[in-house]
Amino acid sequence: MAEHGSQSAEETPWWRGAVIYQVYPRSFADDDGDGTGDLAGVRARLPYLAELGVDALWFNPWYPSPMADGGYDVADYRGVAPEFGTLAGAEKLITDALELGIRTIVDIVPNHVSSEHAWFRAALASPTAPERELFWFRPGRGPGGELPPNNWVSEFHGSAWTRTTDPDGTPGDWYLNLFDSRQPDLNWAHPQVRQEHEEVLRFWFDRGASGVRIDSAALLEKDPALPDLVPDATAEPEGTDGPAQPEGTAGAAGPEGAAEPTRPHPYIDRDGLHTIYRSWRAIADSYPDPRVLIGEIWLPDTERFARYLRPDELHTAFNFDFLSCPWEPIRLRASIEATLAAHAPVAAPATWVLANHDVTRTVTRYGRADTSFGFATKARGVPTDLALGTRRARAAALLTLALPGAVYIYQGEELGLPEVEDIPPDAIQDPMALRSGGTSPGRDGCRVPLPWSGSEPPYGFSPVGATAPPWLPQPTDWADRTAYAQIGEADSMLELYRTAIRVRRAEPSLGDGDLTWLPGAPDQVLAFSRGNTFACVVNLGPDPVDLPNHDSILLASSPLPPAHHLPTDTAVWLRL
Ligand code: NOJ
């Protein structure tokens, strides 16, 4: 690769430039007709994913779980939820995918367990159970212990503490839950917690998983004194593992306006985390085909973020700065430059993410007056121009697939699915919505089951004769968004993704490496080259712009006029 001097493509580890497709198993494809997606449904559609051209699949948690938080409440880290299949089925899926050249990344949830996990059940069984040490049990404040031990706030609204009832029926201690009350936080100061997760890593690596995505990776370690958070000194970008506002001040800061927190923060980005991830890296590196560690880390401080990506820690982490960034040329360029500058000193590849199972779907977000993403600003009834959002999402797809590093595609992005905003209140499942008292729309709108074929729900998500409707209702106007409707349609989102990934695979300068900004581009245009013969140009301004000198056009996100001006909200890949 030009950017790596003599390094050949064979020597570049796969994860440095991978296209990774995120599968939300509950909503991908339902093989057995119970209205819930399952692993057999994924296996049946591996040819679709191979045709799309992705290098790896990241699966959201597939473990046994009461699904209080869509599976991020894990009851058993070594199993598969019965509604998703069996452990043997997961092993077969990993093997079958690998035969098609697709690797598997599983989701590891180390910050908390389900309240149904054996450890927590044992901890609740008696106020003196040794398992209590594996969690954060504390007496309450106030004369009768009726107030929570401190002022920490759950990511899902309300106190981060839940009071227990002792077996004799009297009110007991409180336990910490940074998310839902059915997700008690683990005590990472306890050696058993560390050992257990190291064994869980090996368990999935031994079954062929190529890597793990680490949930809430910056939250594991807590200050054992559990001090109150100090208002104003604690502003963090809000994310599903970001907000650190004491009760009453949550949501004050958006990603771009975040103040730096006072350090050390009692539970975000504590220095001891690096010891944990170094030991995980040693495990990952002990495999002949080294396994990969991917962190979910929402931090505003890029230097602190990059520390997790030092050569003996995690391999990569999600780029939430870019994900949250509005569709504005100066802001996007700044985000790209800051990303590359932060990664360079630790020699880690950047990642580019437009969406995931927690955030507003891209075509919806980009079709609004405010095109940034923030949990605090997420609201119902925001006017949305889906045609505009789709046009921009197409351009954003070519932008991200041309940037240096790895790219994540959240299932349904390749179909141009919008956020579903009219889910009936009694169908809402997300604790973020349920705990907000109706103020937050929550995250169900981006988790609606995929439409595969046909003209009405369930659009092939479930087989003919299914016994239950999809677990979240699908819109009635998705007939033209099904995969089947888009295959072979030259101007469809699916064909754009397929073609772009195919070109990316064939293009040695794409994926891992560097970029060079093309000189002379107007402020409204992002224009950069990769290597000597490839360029990506994106026009985010209102007026058409001239294309730079080029040999040919490889791909455009929207039709180009004959004069080869680049219209508004359009991206083009050029052969220089
Ligand atoms: C981040 C995950 O992406 C989100 O879906 C989940 O609710 C929280 N972590 C808690 O596990």
Side-chain angles (χ1 to χ4, degrees), residues 411-433:
Q411 66 177 41
E413 290 295 288
E414 83 282 16
L415 302 177
L417 296 188
E419 186 84 359
V420 179
E421 300 194 271
D422 58 356
I423 297 174
D426 61 355
I428 293 286
Q429 310 263 340
D430 180 14
M432 187 177 263

PDB file of all heavy atoms in Angstrom, residues 411-433:
ATOM      1  N   GLN A 411     -27.066  -2.968  10.295  1.00  0.00           N
ATOM      2  CA  GLN A 411     -28.049  -3.649   9.437  1.00  0.00           C
ATOM      3  C   GLN A 411     -29.208  -2.712   9.082  1.00  0.00           C
ATOM      4  O   GLN A 411     -29.775  -2.033   9.933  1.00  0.00           O
ATOM      5  CB  GLN A 411     -28.579  -4.913  10.111  1.00  0.00           C
ATOM      6  CG  GLN A 411     -29.405  -4.684  11.360  1.00  0.00           C
ATOM      7  CD  GLN A 411     -29.960  -5.991  11.918  1.00  0.00           C
ATOM      8  OE1 GLN A 411     -29.300  -7.008  11.956  1.00  0.00           O
ATOM      9  NE2 GLN A 411     -31.215  -5.962  12.380  1.00  0.00           N
ATOM     10  N   GLY A 412     -29.538  -2.689   7.803  1.00  0.00           N
ATOM     11  CA  GLY A 412     -30.612  -1.814   7.337  1.00  0.00           C
ATOM     12  C   GLY A 412     -30.108  -0.497   6.775  1.00  0.00           C
ATOM     13  O   GLY A 412     -30.811   0.165   6.020  1.00  0.00           O
ATOM     14  N   GLU A 413     -28.872  -0.114   7.144  1.00  0.00           N
ATOM     15  CA  GLU A 413     -28.298   1.085   6.525  1.00  0.00           C
ATOM     16  C   GLU A 413     -28.189   0.874   5.024  1.00  0.00           C
ATOM     17  O   GLU A 413     -28.418   1.786   4.237  1.00  0.00           O
ATOM     18  CB  GLU A 413     -26.900   1.372   7.087  1.00  0.00           C
ATOM     19  CG  GLU A 413     -26.883   1.839   8.518  1.00  0.00           C
ATOM     20  CD  GLU A 413     -27.554   3.175   8.681  1.00  0.00           C
ATOM     21  OE1 GLU A 413     -26.987   4.193   8.247  1.00  0.00           O
ATOM     22  OE2 GLU A 413     -28.665   3.199   9.239  1.00  0.00           O
ATOM     23  N   GLU A 414     -27.806  -0.372   4.658  1.00  0.00           N
ATOM     24  CA  GLU A 414     -27.625  -0.666   3.234  1.00  0.00           C
ATOM     25  C   GLU A 414     -28.961  -0.686   2.492  1.00  0.00           C
ATOM     26  O   GLU A 414     -28.989  -0.732   1.267  1.00  0.00           O
ATOM     27  CB  GLU A 414     -26.846  -1.986   3.055  1.00  0.00           C
ATOM     28  CG  GLU A 414     -27.658  -3.265   3.146  1.00  0.00           C
ATOM     29  CD  GLU A 414     -28.007  -3.696   4.572  1.00  0.00           C
ATOM     30  OE1 GLU A 414     -27.893  -2.877   5.509  1.00  0.00           O
ATOM     31  OE2 GLU A 414     -28.410  -4.864   4.761  1.00  0.00           O
ATOM     32  N   LEU A 415     -30.069  -0.688   3.243  1.00  0.00           N
ATOM     33  CA  LEU A 415     -31.394  -0.630   2.607  1.00  0.00           C
ATOM     34  C   LEU A 415     -31.965   0.785   2.693  1.00  0.00           C
ATOM     35  O   LEU A 415     -33.078   1.036   2.224  1.00  0.00           O
ATOM     36  CB  LEU A 415     -32.347  -1.620   3.294  1.00  0.00           C
ATOM     37  CG  LEU A 415     -31.914  -3.093   3.290  1.00  0.00           C
ATOM     38  CD1 LEU A 415     -32.910  -3.943   4.069  1.00  0.00           C
ATOM     39  CD2 LEU A 415     -31.773  -3.614   1.863  1.00  0.00           C
ATOM     40  N   GLY A 416     -31.254   1.681   3.345  1.00  0.00           N
ATOM     41  CA  GLY A 416     -31.752   3.046   3.510  1.00  0.00           C
ATOM     42  C   GLY A 416     -32.963   3.126   4.429  1.00  0.00           C
ATOM     43  O   GLY A 416     -33.834   3.981   4.251  1.00  0.00           O
ATOM     44  N   LEU A 417     -33.021   2.258   5.425  1.00  0.00           N
ATOM     45  CA  LEU A 417     -34.188   2.274   6.311  1.00  0.00           C
ATOM     46  C   LEU A 417     -34.216   3.549   7.139  1.00  0.00           C
ATOM     47  O   LEU A 417     -33.187   3.978   7.675  1.00  0.00           O
ATOM     48  CB  LEU A 417     -34.169   1.079   7.261  1.00  0.00           C
ATOM     49  CG  LEU A 417     -34.283  -0.303   6.646  1.00  0.00           C
ATOM     50  CD1 LEU A 417     -34.445  -1.342   7.745  1.00  0.00           C
ATOM     51  CD2 LEU A 417     -35.452  -0.375   5.664  1.00  0.00           C
ATOM     52  N   PRO A 418     -35.397   4.150   7.290  1.00  0.00           N
ATOM     53  CA  PRO A 418     -35.521   5.307   8.176  1.00  0.00           C
ATOM     54  C   PRO A 418     -35.802   4.864   9.614  1.00  0.00           C
ATOM     55  O   PRO A 418     -36.137   3.701   9.863  1.00  0.00           O
ATOM     56  CB  PRO A 418     -36.735   6.042   7.603  1.00  0.00           C
ATOM     57  CG  PRO A 418     -37.584   4.945   7.039  1.00  0.00           C
ATOM     58  CD  PRO A 418     -36.652   3.841   6.589  1.00  0.00           C
ATOM     59  N   GLU A 419     -35.655   5.779  10.527  1.00  0.00           N
ATOM     60  CA  GLU A 419     -36.090   5.557  11.907  1.00  0.00           C
ATOM     61  C   GLU A 419     -37.614   5.367  11.896  1.00  0.00           C
ATOM     62  O   GLU A 419     -38.324   6.099  11.201  1.00  0.00           O
ATOM     63  CB  GLU A 419     -35.726   6.806  12.732  1.00  0.00           C
ATOM     64  CG  GLU A 419     -35.973   6.707  14.207  1.00  0.00           C
ATOM     65  CD  GLU A 419     -34.823   6.022  14.954  1.00  0.00           C
ATOM     66  OE1 GLU A 419     -33.827   5.607  14.311  1.00  0.00           O
ATOM     67  OE2 GLU A 419     -34.943   5.910  16.176  1.00  0.00           O
ATOM     68  N   VAL A 420     -38.090   4.394  12.656  1.00  0.00           N
ATOM     69  CA  VAL A 420     -39.549   4.221  12.763  1.00  0.00           C
ATOM     70  C   VAL A 420     -40.012   5.023  13.976  1.00  0.00           C
ATOM     71  O   VAL A 420     -39.598   4.762  15.103  1.00  0.00           O
ATOM     72  CB  VAL A 420     -39.917   2.731  12.895  1.00  0.00           C
ATOM     73  CG1 VAL A 420     -41.422   2.570  13.033  1.00  0.00           C
ATOM     74  CG2 VAL A 420     -39.397   1.961  11.684  1.00  0.00           C
ATOM     75  N   GLU A 421     -40.855   5.999  13.722  1.00  0.00           N
ATOM     76  CA  GLU A 421     -41.177   6.949  14.786  1.00  0.00           C
ATOM     77  C   GLU A 421     -42.599   6.815  15.314  1.00  0.00           C
ATOM     78  O   GLU A 421     -42.999   7.578  16.186  1.00  0.00           O
ATOM     79  CB  GLU A 421     -40.953   8.372  14.264  1.00  0.00           C
ATOM     80  CG  GLU A 421     -39.504   8.561  13.830  1.00  0.00           C
ATOM     81  CD  GLU A 421     -39.174  10.014  13.634  1.00  0.00           C
ATOM     82  OE1 GLU A 421     -39.375  10.506  12.511  1.00  0.00           O
ATOM     83  OE2 GLU A 421     -38.741  10.643  14.613  1.00  0.00           O
ATOM     84  N   ASP A 422     -43.343   5.864  14.764  1.00  0.00           N
ATOM     85  CA  ASP A 422     -44.733   5.749  15.219  1.00  0.00           C
ATOM     86  C   ASP A 422     -45.009   4.390  15.863  1.00  0.00           C
ATOM     87  O   ASP A 422     -46.089   3.827  15.719  1.00  0.00           O
ATOM     88  CB  ASP A 422     -45.687   5.995  14.044  1.00  0.00           C
ATOM     89  CG  ASP A 422     -45.434   5.017  12.891  1.00  0.00           C
ATOM     90  OD1 ASP A 422     -44.471   4.212  12.982  1.00  0.00           O
ATOM     91  OD2 ASP A 422     -46.190   5.066  11.907  1.00  0.00           O
ATOM     92  N   ILE A 423     -44.011   3.861  16.563  1.00  0.00           N
ATOM     93  CA  ILE A 423     -44.236   2.601  17.281  1.00  0.00           C
ATOM     94  C   ILE A 423     -45.263   2.883  18.389  1.00  0.00           C
ATOM     95  O   ILE A 423     -45.086   3.824  19.171  1.00  0.00           O
ATOM     96  CB  ILE A 423     -42.920   2.064  17.881  1.00  0.00           C
ATOM     97  CG1 ILE A 423     -41.937   1.747  16.740  1.00  0.00           C
ATOM     98  CG2 ILE A 423     -43.171   0.826  18.731  1.00  0.00           C
ATOM     99  CD1 ILE A 423     -40.554   1.353  17.208  1.00  0.00           C
ATOM    100  N   PRO A 424     -46.345   2.112  18.452  1.00  0.00           N
ATOM    101  CA  PRO A 424     -47.359   2.382  19.474  1.00  0.00           C
ATOM    102  C   PRO A 424     -46.753   2.276  20.882  1.00  0.00           C
ATOM    103  O   PRO A 424     -45.899   1.414  21.129  1.00  0.00           O
ATOM    104  CB  PRO A 424     -48.407   1.291  19.253  1.00  0.00           C
ATOM    105  CG  PRO A 424     -48.120   0.711  17.912  1.00  0.00           C
ATOM    106  CD  PRO A 424     -46.668   0.967  17.611  1.00  0.00           C
ATOM    107  N   PRO A 425     -47.197   3.142  21.788  1.00  0.00           N
ATOM    108  CA  PRO A 425     -46.611   3.136  23.147  1.00  0.00           C
ATOM    109  C   PRO A 425     -46.606   1.759  23.799  1.00  0.00           C
ATOM    110  O   PRO A 425     -45.639   1.404  24.481  1.00  0.00           O
ATOM    111  CB  PRO A 425     -47.512   4.107  23.917  1.00  0.00           C
ATOM    112  CG  PRO A 425     -48.093   5.008  22.865  1.00  0.00           C
ATOM    113  CD  PRO A 425     -48.196   4.197  21.604  1.00  0.00           C
ATOM    114  N   ASP A 426     -47.637   0.958  23.556  1.00  0.00           N
ATOM    115  CA  ASP A 426     -47.659  -0.343  24.241  1.00  0.00           C
ATOM    116  C   ASP A 426     -46.726  -1.373  23.589  1.00  0.00           C
ATOM    117  O   ASP A 426     -46.575  -2.484  24.091  1.00  0.00           O
ATOM    118  CB  ASP A 426     -49.092  -0.886  24.340  1.00  0.00           C
ATOM    119  CG  ASP A 426     -49.722  -1.105  22.973  1.00  0.00           C
ATOM    120  OD1 ASP A 426     -49.079  -0.739  21.954  1.00  0.00           O
ATOM    121  OD2 ASP A 426     -50.841  -1.650  22.912  1.00  0.00           O
ATOM    122  N   ALA A 427     -46.100  -0.985  22.469  1.00  0.00           N
ATOM    123  CA  ALA A 427     -45.137  -1.907  21.846  1.00  0.00           C
ATOM    124  C   ALA A 427     -43.691  -1.539  22.191  1.00  0.00           C
ATOM    125  O   ALA A 427     -42.762  -2.293  21.898  1.00  0.00           O
ATOM    126  CB  ALA A 427     -45.313  -1.895  20.325  1.00  0.00           C
ATOM    127  N   ILE A 428     -43.502  -0.390  22.811  1.00  0.00           N
ATOM    128  CA  ILE A 428     -42.142   0.072  23.144  1.00  0.00           C
ATOM    129  C   ILE A 428     -41.476  -0.912  24.108  1.00  0.00           C
ATOM    130  O   ILE A 428     -42.072  -1.365  25.084  1.00  0.00           O
ATOM    131  CB  ILE A 428     -42.190   1.484  23.773  1.00  0.00           C
ATOM    132  CG1 ILE A 428     -42.662   2.512  22.741  1.00  0.00           C
ATOM    133  CG2 ILE A 428     -40.849   1.888  24.372  1.00  0.00           C
ATOM    134  CD1 ILE A 428     -41.670   2.876  21.687  1.00  0.00           C
ATOM    135  N   GLN A 429     -40.203  -1.228  23.815  1.00  0.00           N
ATOM    136  CA  GLN A 429     -39.467  -2.208  24.623  1.00  0.00           C
ATOM    137  C   GLN A 429     -38.248  -1.605  25.315  1.00  0.00           C
ATOM    138  O   GLN A 429     -37.738  -2.153  26.269  1.00  0.00           O
ATOM    139  CB  GLN A 429     -38.936  -3.315  23.707  1.00  0.00           C
ATOM    140  CG  GLN A 429     -39.958  -3.911  22.787  1.00  0.00           C
ATOM    141  CD  GLN A 429     -40.540  -5.185  23.333  1.00  0.00           C
ATOM    142  OE1 GLN A 429     -39.941  -5.819  24.196  1.00  0.00           O
ATOM    143  NE2 GLN A 429     -41.706  -5.561  22.850  1.00  0.00           N
ATOM    144  N   ASP A 430     -37.741  -0.511  24.787  1.00  0.00           N
ATOM    145  CA  ASP A 430     -36.439  -0.001  25.223  1.00  0.00           C
ATOM    146  C   ASP A 430     -36.519   0.656  26.608  1.00  0.00           C
ATOM    147  O   ASP A 430     -37.297   1.588  26.809  1.00  0.00           O
ATOM    148  CB  ASP A 430     -35.954   1.027  24.187  1.00  0.00           C
ATOM    149  CG  ASP A 430     -34.610   1.619  24.566  1.00  0.00           C
ATOM    150  OD1 ASP A 430     -33.943   1.062  25.468  1.00  0.00           O
ATOM    151  OD2 ASP A 430     -34.239   2.643  23.968  1.00  0.00           O
ATOM    152  N   PRO A 431     -35.657   0.198  27.543  1.00  0.00           N
ATOM    153  CA  PRO A 431     -35.693   0.801  28.885  1.00  0.00           C
ATOM    154  C   PRO A 431     -35.361   2.292  28.875  1.00  0.00           C
ATOM    155  O   PRO A 431     -35.787   3.030  29.769  1.00  0.00           O
ATOM    156  CB  PRO A 431     -34.649   0.002  29.669  1.00  0.00           C
ATOM    157  CG  PRO A 431     -33.771  -0.636  28.637  1.00  0.00           C
ATOM    158  CD  PRO A 431     -34.644  -0.855  27.436  1.00  0.00           C
ATOM    159  N   MET A 432     -34.610   2.721  27.856  1.00  0.00           N
ATOM    160  CA  MET A 432     -34.302   4.154  27.804  1.00  0.00           C
ATOM    161  C   MET A 432     -35.595   4.964  27.632  1.00  0.00           C
ATOM    162  O   MET A 432     -35.765   6.015  28.243  1.00  0.00           O
ATOM    163  CB  MET A 432     -33.349   4.438  26.639  1.00  0.00           C
ATOM    164  CG  MET A 432     -32.838   5.852  26.608  1.00  0.00           C
ATOM    165  SD  MET A 432     -31.659   6.088  25.265  1.00  0.00           S
ATOM    166  CE  MET A 432     -30.117   5.885  26.120  1.00  0.00           C
ATOM    167  N   ALA A 433     -36.510   4.443  26.834  1.00  0.00           N
ATOM    168  CA  ALA A 433     -37.808   5.108  26.665  1.00  0.00           C
ATOM    169  C   ALA A 433     -38.690   4.860  27.885  1.00  0.00           C
ATOM    170  O   ALA A 433     -39.289   5.790  28.425  1.00  0.00           O
ATOM    171  CB  ALA A 433     -38.495   4.593  25.408  1.00  0.00           C
TER     172      ALA A 433
END
